[in-house]
Amino acid sequence: MEINLLIVLVCGVVAMVIGALWHGPIFGKAFMWANNWPDWEGYSKEEQQKKQKEMMPMYGVQFLFSLLQIYILAHFLKGWSDASPYEVAVWLWLGFMVPVVAGNAIWNINSGKQRLTLFGVVAGYQLVSMLAFAFILSHWG
């Protein structure tokens, strides 16, 4: 079974774009609140730049994990022919990502509302990403 690695790479870039939007202008404040992280406005311009520079290696690691996730999803999509790509993505999300994200939120020491917010933001990002990957992989992969 051959997987188009260029399309996997494209999906990896898409994951980073979705993540930047999701955890930035769309749900960034909620995500930061749920994690008890300080707001960016509390930092000077120099401190913000330093923090962003410190995060660069983490973006690289996240990108590699996204590529792994996408590569495995591509194999499932090719091998699971009796379901649509979106059904496969949703079932994998529901069966593997939701329990892990929920466990992380459940055992978070923050308030119940923060745990629920954290679950919603992270699980929502994963669902949107998986559906985007399913679309791209099924049309061009």
Side-chain angles (χ1 to χ4, degrees):
M1 178 177 333
E2 191 164 321
I3 303 298
N4 186 333
L5 296 180
L6 180 60
I7 298 302
V8 170
L9 188 61
V10 167
C11 285
V13 172
V14 168
M16 299 306 285
V17 171
I18 292 171
L21 293 171
W22 197 266
H23 296 94
I26 298 174
F27 294 111
K29 289 201 182 287
F31 185 69
M32 291 175 75
W33 173 79
N35 282 296
N36 285 329
W37 293 347
D39 199 345
W40 279 106
E41 283 80 40
Y43 292 109
S44 69
K45 188 79 166 166
E46 293 79 26
E47 289 173 320
Q48 287 180 16
Q49 290 173 341
K50 182 182 177 212
K51 293 284 184 196
Q52 288 171 336
K53 187 176 181 179
E54 291 171 354
M55 289 190 301
M56 290 309 291
M58 292 181 272
Y59 286 121
V61 171
Q62 182 63 54
F63 182 71
L64 292 175
F65 280 126
S66 293
L67 292 177
L68 177 64
Q69 176 185 15
I70 295 157
Y71 184 75
I72 292 169
L73 176 62
H75 278 282
F76 271 91
L77 292 178
K78 289 199 180 279
W80 201 342
S81 59
D82 60 338
S84 79
Y86 308 107
E87 287 176 280
V88 173
V90 168
W91 282 116
L92 290 173
W93 171 79
L94 188 61
F96 294 99
M97 292 177 189
V98 168
V100 172
V101 172
N104 184 47
I106 288 167
W107 295 105
N108 187 304
I109 64 170
N110 297 331
S111 72
K113 189 172 181 180
Q114 285 175 298
R115 289 192 298 256
L116 188 58
T117 300
L118 184 61
F119 172 78
V121 172
V122 175
Y125 162 73
Q126 290 295 333
L127 178 60
V128 168
S129 295
M130 289 290 282
L131 292 172
F133 304 154
F135 176 82
I136 294 167
L137 291 167
S138 66
H139 285 82
W140 298 290

